[in-house]
């Protein structure tokens, strides 16, 4: 199994930090002499990104701003070896909004600009986490905290929403404890589990195109924690929450063994309809490292890549840094280190070769495509222009084109504004009566980039079309409100040309917070689902027309959902997942709505055999009286439509030689 660890405040480099297990502390205490780094075998040539691209995967690294800006050796490796970038700290809450409503994006923008210039994509990290979140957030009331979360996500995701380089986000990070229960963070203690779904909805409203992920550690193999993650993702998907991917951090240590059934674990998540990715890979060694530890480290790196390659839905692997010079490991685990694929002098190690070989070795193709022809513009309007160009050629094959844009007729900096797999591209969202310059570059599967084409200048028209917004919708009212949904209706707007639809906006609580779009409708009604029980929300509606004009928002209506509970019956069936001499795991313990109406909570009761003791549980709230165990639904898995199911589980100890397990599960609803 991998080590059990929990985050603690960051050190001087503001990298991710973990506390050290007691067993590891005992090992560290045994060292009485200085720890020396051990030289490792030289590595084969890359680049890694070409090998990964040949397998339709990305290979990424976590970027630190200072060396990226100031060290040529670091920058050279970072921009040539990797196709994906995760900001190590620049996009976290304390890096973007350390003071309430004072947003700073310079460090994040620098990483995005570097990625854009080097044909890389960016994964945003992280929006909602219990660590590196300023103290001003942690002490807020429930209403104010939810509003702060929405404001933060709307601003941070919105800042990069129109930048094609930023393609995905870790929306929530590390929400489980080691037993598979919800981590008792200030988020959970104040808001309950509903903060997870709300964070995803806020992120989707801020960027409809980004891939939205949940991320955690010690979930690489099949265990209680990964099963809790699996059940949460399944539940979120069933509720229509916009979750697209699952991140497996994969901080490994050779002394704890490789995660059990990693490939099978990735696949079971993929079967839920999400993509999966390795997000923070490193493999630490107890120092001084010997040849056996280095060989094990190389095997681990190779195994992780091979597990990803074996699962079609695994999009790639990100290493948490790449050089031991800037690794978080030695500061957090004294006596351990050498966890990355480059040493402190920026020389590739044998772990580099292990990653390269697992991807199939370096492709032979190092030839860039030819330069595309100068683009020409057509169909220029006040807000868009269509570009076309003559195709590039390549010794293997062109896979697409990047479109770069600079402001004005001279000066400024070209930045990627889109990509195309054809020889045309329409750039929308431009300003009227404004000049822009465009270039195009080609790319191939090995990551080779052509030179940029000559530039074409485009000036948009003055925009003399429809500029009249629709009238403000009126009469907004709510009906049919339950513990998890409400239906809104309103009086239609009018427009000089015609209304094309309505946006529905929602804010948390009865006051404060920020309204964000949660849906749209082409009629004058909308049902908002996935709400939390006994919670207040405010809604507004605004109309829009074909020209993109938007009305002012309607007056707000406040809706308070009902408490949990509901009609219907339920059943419970337990499955023995595993047993050993003095214990067992029951997973899944499946709850099914056997009634004809939706239930909004359930209670399962069972009896532990004499001498058996509950030692762990997940996805339900457990109470024990003698040998009688009562498990109640939690916020996200209590609502079940007729015929629908959810699951939870537990672990128990028993006397040695006793082979009995619980039975006779009963399920009731309020």
């Amino acid at each position: 199994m991998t080590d059990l660890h929990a985050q603690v405040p960051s050190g001087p480099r503001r990298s991710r930090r973990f506390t050290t297990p007691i067993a590891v502390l005992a090992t560290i205490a045994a060292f009485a002499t200085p720890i020396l780094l051990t030289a490792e075998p030289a590595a084969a040539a890359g680049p890694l990104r070409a090998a990964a691209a040949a397998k339709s995967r990305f290979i990424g690294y976590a970027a630190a701003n200072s060396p990226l800006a100031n060290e040529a050796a670091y920058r050279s490796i970072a921009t040539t070896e990797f196709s994906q970038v995760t900001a190590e700290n620049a996009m976290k809450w304390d890096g973007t909004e350390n003071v309430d409503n004072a947003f700073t994006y310079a460090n994040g923008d620098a990483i995005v600009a570097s990625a854009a210039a080097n044909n890389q994509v960016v994964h945003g990290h992280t929006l909602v986490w219990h660590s590196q979140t300023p103290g001003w957030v942690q002490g807020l009331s429930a209403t104010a905290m939810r509003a702060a979360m929405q404001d933060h996500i709307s601003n941070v995701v919105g800042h990069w929403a129109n930048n094609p380089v930023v393609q995905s986000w870790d929306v929530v990070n590390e929400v489980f404890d080691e037993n598979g229960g919800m981590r008792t963070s200030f988020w959970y203690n104040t808001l309950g589990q509903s903060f997870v779904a709300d964070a995803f909805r806020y992120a989707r409203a801020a960027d409809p195109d980004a891939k939205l992920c949940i991320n955690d550690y010690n979930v690489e193999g099949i265990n209680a924690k990964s099963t809790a993650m699996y059940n949460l993702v399944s539940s979120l998907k069933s509720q229509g929450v916009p979750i697209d991917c699952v991140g497996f951090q994969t901080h490994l240590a050779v002394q704890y063994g490789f995660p059990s059934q990693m490939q099978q674990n990735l696949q079971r998540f993929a079967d839920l309809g999400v993509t999966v990715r390795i997000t923070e890979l490193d493999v630490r060694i107890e120092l001084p490292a010997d040849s056996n530890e280095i060989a094990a480290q190389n095997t681990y790196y190779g195994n992780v890549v091979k597990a990803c390659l074996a699962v079609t839905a695994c999009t790639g692997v990100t290493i948490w840094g790449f050089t031991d010079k800037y690794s978080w490991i030695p500061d957090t685990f004294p006596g351990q280190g050498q966890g990355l694929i480059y040493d402190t002098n920026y020389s590739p190690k044998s772990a580099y070769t292990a990653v390269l070989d697992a991807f199939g070795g370096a492709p032979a193709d190092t030839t860039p495509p030819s330069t595309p022809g100068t683009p020409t513009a057509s169909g220029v309007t006040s807000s868009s222009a269509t570009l076309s160009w003559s195709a590039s050629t390549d010794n293997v094959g062109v896979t697409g084109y990047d479109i770069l844009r600079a402001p004005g007729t001279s000066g400024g900096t070209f930045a990627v504004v889109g990509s195309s797999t054809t020889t045309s591209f329409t750039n929308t969202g431009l300003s009227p009566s404004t000049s822009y310059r465009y270039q195009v570059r080609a790319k191939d599967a090995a990551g080779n980039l052509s030179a940029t084409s000559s530039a074409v200048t485009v000036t948009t028209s003055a925009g003399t079309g429809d500029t009249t917004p629709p009238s403000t919708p009126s009469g907004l009212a709510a009906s049919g409100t339950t513990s998890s949904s409400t239906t809104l209706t309103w009086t239609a707007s009018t427009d000089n040309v015609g209304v094309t639809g309505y946006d529905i906006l929602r804010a948390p609580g009865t006051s404060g917070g920020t309204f964000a779009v949660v849906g749209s409708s082409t009629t004058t009604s909308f049902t908002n689902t996935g709400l939390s029980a006994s919670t207040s929300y405010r809604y507004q509606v605004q109309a829009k027309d074909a020209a993109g004009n938007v009305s002012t928002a309607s007056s707000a209506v406040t809706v308070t959902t009902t408490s949990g509970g509901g009609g219907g019956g339920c059943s419970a069936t337990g499955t023995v997942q595993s047993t050993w001499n003095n214990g067992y795991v029951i997973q899944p313990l499946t709850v099914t709505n056997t009634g004809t109406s939706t239930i909004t909570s359930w209670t399962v009761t069972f009896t532990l055999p004499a001498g058996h003791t509950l030692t762990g549980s997940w996805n339900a709230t457990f109470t024990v009286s003698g040998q009688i165990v009562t498990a109640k639904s939690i916020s996200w898995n209590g609502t079940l439509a007729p015929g629908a199911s959810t699951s939870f589980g537990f672990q128990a100890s028993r006397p040695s030689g006793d082979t009995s397990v619980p039975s006779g599960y009963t399920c009731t609803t309020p």
Side-chain angles (χ1 to χ4, degrees), residues 580-631:
W580 54 95
N581 187 44
N582 58 351
Y584 52 88
V585 171
I586 304 296
Q587 171 66 35
L589 207 167
T590 303
V591 177
T592 303
N593 181 355
T594 57
T596 58
S597 60
T598 297
I599 61 174
T600 54
S601 65
W602 45 261
T603 300
V604 172
T605 303
F606 58 93
T607 301
L608 292 172
H612 291 216
T613 303
L614 200 68
T615 58
S617 61
W618 46 93
N619 297 344
T621 300
F622 282 71
T623 57
V624 180
S625 178
Q627 297 304 110
I628 305 299
V629 180
T630 302

Side-chain angles (χ1 to χ4, degrees), residues 161-489:
N162 293 321
N163 191 319
V165 174
V166 183
Q167 297 189 354
S168 55
W169 282 93
D170 285 330
V171 177
V172 293
N173 196 45
E174 300 171 4
V175 300
F176 290 104
D177 63 27
E178 293 309 309
N179 295 318
M182 290 296 292
R183 179 188 294 275
T184 54
S185 65
F186 63 89
W187 292 112
Y188 180 76
N189 291 341
T190 306
L191 300 176
Q193 192 162 318
S194 63
F195 82 88
V196 176
D198 283 343
F200 277 94
R201 294 187 180 104
Y202 298 154
R204 174 61 75 237
D207 188 348
D209 299 318
K211 300 299 183 185
L212 306 180
C213 310
I214 188 170
N215 189 51
D216 216 321
Y217 64 91
N218 281 357
V219 293
E220 296 78 28
I222 295 179
N223 54 40
K225 188 173 184 180
S226 66
T227 297
M229 173 82 89
Y230 175 88
N231 291 334
L232 174 58
V233 173
S234 177
S235 176
L236 293 173
K237 292 285 288 184
S238 69
Q239 297 173 47
V241 174
I243 181 170
D244 303 307
C245 60
V246 178
F248 301 80
Q249 291 184 14
T250 322
H251 294 291
L252 305 180
V254 297
Q255 66 267 34
Y256 294 114
F258 192 76
S260 172
Q261 299 178 288
M262 184 172 186
Q263 177 185 327
Q264 294 90 331
N265 190 42
L266 296 178
Q267 186 61 59
R268 69 168 176 163
F269 279 89
D271 291 342
L272 292 176
V274 293
T275 61
V276 295
R277 59 177 64 196
I278 309 303
T279 56
E280 304 180 18
L281 174 62
D282 49 37
V283 184
R284 65 184 183 271
I285 292 174
E286 292 182 318
L287 302 176
D290 60 33
S291 59
N292 290 331
E293 289 176 312
I294 292 172
Q297 180 186 61
N298 296 342
T299 298
Y300 283 23
Y301 267 111
N303 285 349
V304 170
V305 173
K306 291 173 185 177
C308 179
L309 292 177
V311 177
T312 303
C314 184
T315 54
V317 175
T318 299
I319 298 171
W320 200 243
F322 61 83
T323 168
D324 290 335
K325 183 176 182 179
Y326 293 108
S327 172
W328 64 280
I329 293 171
D331 289 345
T332 308
F333 298 97
Q336 299 182 53
Q338 292 184 229
L340 296 172
I341 62 174
Y342 284 79
D343 67 19
T344 57
N345 296 315
Y346 296 116
S347 295
K349 294 155 48 177
S350 54
Y352 175 102
T353 306
V355 173
L356 182 66
D357 288 348
F359 274 120
D365 180 19
T366 59
T367 304
S370 64
T371 305
T374 303
T376 59
S378 61
V380 179
T381 69
S382 62
S383 61
S384 66
T386 297
L387 305 167
S388 57
W389 55 90
S390 58
S392 298
T393 59
D394 186 69
N395 62 321
V396 176
V398 173
T399 57
Y401 299 87
D402 288 331
I403 295 84
L404 300 90
R405 188 181 73 200
T409 58
S410 63
T413 302
F414 281 91
V416 176
V417 293
S419 60
S420 175
T421 56
T422 68
T423 55
S424 66
F425 175 79
T426 299
N427 192 201
T428 60
L430 306 178
S431 300
S433 303
T434 303
S435 295
Y436 303 88
R437 301 190 320 285
Y438 291 91
Q439 294 177 319
V440 179
R441 67 186 181 194
K443 50 193 176 183
D444 64 19
N448 300 305
L449 289 174
S450 76
T452 54
S453 71
S454 299
V456 61
T457 299
V458 176
T459 302
T460 55
S461 60
T464 57
D466 177 21
T467 60
T468 302
S471 64
T472 304
S474 61
L476 180 62
S479 62
T481 302
T482 69
S483 62
S484 61
S485 67
T486 190
T487 297
L488 305 168
T489 57

